[in-house]
Amino acid sequence: MEPSRTVAAADPAFRADVLAGLAAPIPAVPARWLYDRRGSELFEAITDLPEYYLTRTERALLERHSPDVAQIVGKDDAVVEFGSGSSAKTPILLRAVEPSAYVPIDISGDFLRDSVDALAGQFPHLPIHPVEADFMHPITLPSAVSALPKLGFFPGSTIGNMVARTAVDLLRAMKDTLGVGAWLLIGMDRIKDTDMLIRAYDDAAGVTAEFNLNLLRRINAELDGTIPVDAFRHRAIWNDRMSRIEMHLEATDDVAFTVSGTPFSFRAGETIHTENSHKYGLRDARLLLRAAGWGLCQEWTDEADSFALILAEAEAPRFAP
Ligand code: AVJ
């Protein structure tokens, strides 16, 4: 794959996060900065890796069970996707559910336009109402869909990027956006054999390593950084206590560099924490949803229980003992 880096104008939020994150007692950079254009291309390549079972398994679950979803939620809903449906997964659901409208929500107008174009070609009669917004906060949906029953869609185990507190905040915001009685179809990765998890995040071809190291290249390109990228290596670690895979960039030597003129130094072995990918057991997943007001409706997994597709319903508040 050809690197496609067009040096974007420095994003002040990126600079602020990097400068604060590198200076923190436990150095870390928010994972969302991994996904520039090149990072998004590398993530797409990850989804095709033999070790990265997540995408393949979730797609098979959707193919097998979208008709079951349609049976439960009925047809003619508004499907509201959190994140733009650039993936191959959205059409599988839309074909089964035959919605009256499709509402993709994304913070990036560019990603949103790309996915709308792709889906409009495949579903010429489906009304599409894109919303450019941050779905971490409750959103007022377009009035054209306000009277329709809602099916939220949040595939890809993206919820796994968030620590539990933030995940619950997000699930609650989704409930506020969709309303009581709405459905949510969400993909969550399961806790499993540690070696299998680590292989999925430290593949033999080194694509995930390149994805992680791309953050340093991006800092150098966009924030006038002097980081010696060769002096860092990709690490994928299973944090059992937190039930998550962590990606880190580990200094292999003592290094010193500047970012936007600010000096930083790392000793050999010190790391920059770049991403979390939380994994959920059967009851963990149910509890997370319940904590945000979503009642379990149905869950589907593959033979090996490696990934779960979960359908939940937004519960009305009620008196509890
Ligand atoms: C896009 C967040 C679901 O955590 O599995 C893949 C990102 N990072 N390999 C994941 C990712 C490294 C991915 N999510």
Side-chain angles (χ1 to χ4, degrees), residues 35 43 46 52 54 156-158 161 201 208 211 247 275 277:
Y35 299 87
F43 176 67
I46 287 171
Y52 196 76
L54 291 83
S157 181
T158 309
N161 264 182
Y201 292 86
T208 310
F211 170 68
M247 290 206 317
E275 192 172 48
S277 201

